[in-house]
Amino acid sequence: MGRLLPHPLLTPILAIVWLLLTNSFDPGQIVMGLLLGWAIPLISIRFWPEKVYIYKPLTLLRYSFLLLFDIIMANFTVARLVLGNPDRIQPAFVVMPLDLTSDLAISLLANSITLTPGTLSAQLSLDRKYLLIHAFNETDTKALVAEIKNRYESPLKEIFEKC
Amino acid sequence: MLEIVILIALALVAAAVAMSFWRLLIGPSVPDRILALDTLYINTIAMLMLLGIHIGSALFFEAALLIALMGFIGTVALSKYLLRGDIIE
Amino acid sequence: MLDYLLSFLILTGAIFTFIGSLGLVRLKDFYTRLHGPTKATTLGVGCLLIASTVYFSTRDAGVSLHEILITLFLLITAPVSAHMLAKAALHIEIPSLAKIPENKVSEYKKTRSEVVKQAGRQEVNPSSTETVKPDV
């Protein structure tokens, strides 16, 4: 397993990307995709220093649907604020302490924060303990941090980190 | 009906392109201009997809994919340049 | 029926793309302007790409799913480029309507100059540089 298939998650993802790229589901293309999915991680293993394990796949699935729903809601929120009076918007910078430690979980959290309503991740401190968030229209910063921790950080911690 | 809707949508996206251009021209700071460029890439992808449906040709897909790739790399490279004064370290 | 679905998707996509660029023009400072394009355009272009998928899948015989690739790619890259732009803007101190936490910015600058100094002395070790803890 270890040497021959260094990154077991990357193989199916690369195979699916190949199938989408060629836009056909012929058996030949599936074999080609699996071959590429096997060969590319072997060559590029040095760029993936961190081992990735998904401890709870079901939580990951639920998290993806939550994220999708939130992205759609975020678009309506931002659209409403853009069409409203721009003088009434009160932006704020919020510093959020992080509980996550793995690189992948932190980057997924930062991506989720940017894609969801009214918040945008702006900077990660060099020791990876604090995330600077720009809130579009927020006065209650404590509640915002609590909501992000509840909604996004704790599922990500469950999925990617052993408790 | 679909024809009219596509024409309306094309007009809306063209207006979006014009507004991004406006920000690209006046943008008070350099990040503003980079952001305008990034928005232009995304607007162009939208326009290509609309044109693809309008003409009925699936050939625009490759162009849109390449614009998405190059746009992302361009934005990151320009931000990196602002951040470090250097792109490849 | 299919026409109505396609028209709805195309109109929604175009309107959101439009609103994203409208935000670029209307909003007052750089950091709020960053919100418009990254959010509104992802859904806007996403809707258009789904419309394109539906259109080409029903018009020709086979399914045509490759537009999903662009949607996924945009969903992954839009936050990354927004993050990089925000970081760059904080670094060159673009003025903001909101108060920027002072120690946050100076922390980055301090460690960066330290890293540069260390690189001059041929001993690059960014992970060991001490960082100033911001008060939360």
Side-chain angles (χ1 to χ4, degrees):
Chain A
M1 191 80 178
R3 285 277 280 304
L4 215 59
L5 201 63
H7 208 285
L9 274 176
L10 206 56
T11 305
I13 293 174
L14 281 173
I16 290 170
V17 167
W18 175 258
L19 286 180
L20 285 175
L21 200 60
T22 54
N23 203 17
S24 76
F25 295 92
D26 295 340
Q29 297 293 356
I30 294 175
V31 171
M32 185 69 189
L34 285 175
L35 208 66
L36 282 174
W38 168 73
I40 291 173
L42 269 190
I43 297 166
S44 65
I45 188 63
R46 278 192 296 166
F47 299 119
W48 305 88
E50 208 181 71
K51 280 256 174 227
V52 177
Y53 290 109
I54 293 177
Y55 292 103
K56 291 188 176 163
L58 274 181
T59 320
L60 181 62
L61 201 66
R62 215 181 56 210
Y63 182 76
S64 328
F65 281 111
L66 175 85
L67 200 60
L68 205 62
F69 177 74
D70 278 357
I71 290 169
I72 294 170
M73 290 323 289
N75 281 284
F76 283 104
T77 319
V78 170
R80 208 183 57 229
L81 286 168
V82 166
L83 291 176
N85 185 359
D87 291 325
R88 281 218 308 262
I89 293 168
Q90 290 179 315
F93 276 100
V94 184
V95 178
M96 188 181 115
L98 285 173
D99 291 333
L100 299 169
T101 47
S102 78
D103 283 358
L104 181 69
I106 290 176
S107 40
L108 275 180
L109 178 70
N111 274 15
S112 313
I113 286 172
T114 303
L115 283 173
T116 50
T119 48
L120 192 135
S121 68
Q123 198 172 59
L124 180 67
S125 71
L126 278 183
D127 55 358
R128 287 157 195 241
K129 287 203 176 99
Y130 299 93
L131 193 63
L132 184 64
I133 296 171
H134 182 263
F136 194 68
N137 191 10
E138 190 67 53
T139 41
D140 192 357
T141 53
K142 282 230 168 62
L144 180 72
V145 170
E147 198 201 332
I148 289 172
K149 276 199 166 310
N150 253 315
R151 211 172 160 87
Y152 309 115
E153 197 177 10
S154 54
L156 279 175
K157 199 172 172 59
E158 268 179 40
I159 295 166
F160 289 107
E161 283 168 23
K162 214 169 210 162
C163 314
Chain B
M1 189 179 89
L2 197 60
E3 285 303 303
I4 301 166
V5 166
I6 289 175
L7 285 181
I8 295 170
L10 269 174
L12 277 171
V13 177
V17 169
M19 286 190 294
S20 307
F21 250 114
W22 174 243
R23 180 52 73 188
L24 187 65
L25 283 176
I26 63 162
S29 61
V30 184
D32 268 315
R33 295 202 161 108
I34 303 176
L35 181 64
L37 259 184
D38 192 56
T39 318
L40 262 182
Y41 293 133
I42 297 176
N43 288 342
T44 316
I45 296 169
M47 210 167 212
L48 275 179
M49 278 358 270
L50 277 173
L51 268 180
I53 299 177
H54 186 57
I55 298 175
S57 140
L59 287 176
F60 290 103
F61 163 76
E62 272 80 10
L65 187 67
L66 279 179
I67 289 174
L69 284 168
M70 292 300 152
F72 171 63
I73 293 170
T75 310
V76 170
L78 285 170
S79 323
K80 197 93 182 165
Y81 177 71
L82 282 187
L83 210 54
R84 305 266 181 181
D86 204 353
I87 296 172
I88 302 165
E89 293 169 30
Chain C
M1 187 59 215
L2 188 71
D3 258 22
Y4 285 107
L5 176 72
L6 276 177
S7 308
F8 173 74
L9 280 173
I10 289 174
L11 265 188
T12 322
I15 287 171
F16 273 114
T17 315
F18 179 77
I19 286 173
S21 294
L22 190 68
L24 204 61
V25 170
R26 276 193 87 187
L27 295 172
K28 297 287 176 198
D29 79 325
F30 173 73
Y31 301 95
T32 47
R33 277 202 283 270
L34 205 49
H35 282 267
T38 51
K39 293 216 180 65
T41 48
T42 43
L43 187 72
V45 176
C47 277
L48 285 175
L49 291 167
I50 292 169
S52 170
T53 309
V54 173
Y55 179 76
F56 285 111
S57 296
T58 50
R59 199 194 60 154
D60 303 332
V63 283
S64 162
L65 290 176
H66 57 190
E67 282 89 352
I68 290 178
L69 208 59
I70 302 181
T71 317
L72 279 180
F73 187 77
L74 278 182
L75 272 186
I76 295 169
T77 57
V80 178
S81 42
H83 183 90
M84 289 298 290
L85 275 173
K87 213 167 143 176
L90 279 174
H91 179 65
I92 61 173
E93 291 175 349
I94 301 291
S96 157
L97 284 178
K99 197 175 137 290
I100 301 173
E102 198 45 56
N103 43 9
K104 214 52 195 174
V105 177
S106 58
E107 171 209 351
Y108 185 75
K109 288 218 153 151
K110 177 164 169 281
T111 41
R112 175 177 137 69
S113 62
E114 272 172 20
V115 170
V116 169
K117 218 186 292 169
Q118 278 186 347
R121 280 189 272 124
Q122 299 294 318
E123 44 184 39
V124 195
N125 196 359
S127 60
S128 72
T129 47
E130 288 292 313
T131 49
V132 185
K133 274 198 180 175
D135 35 335
V136 181

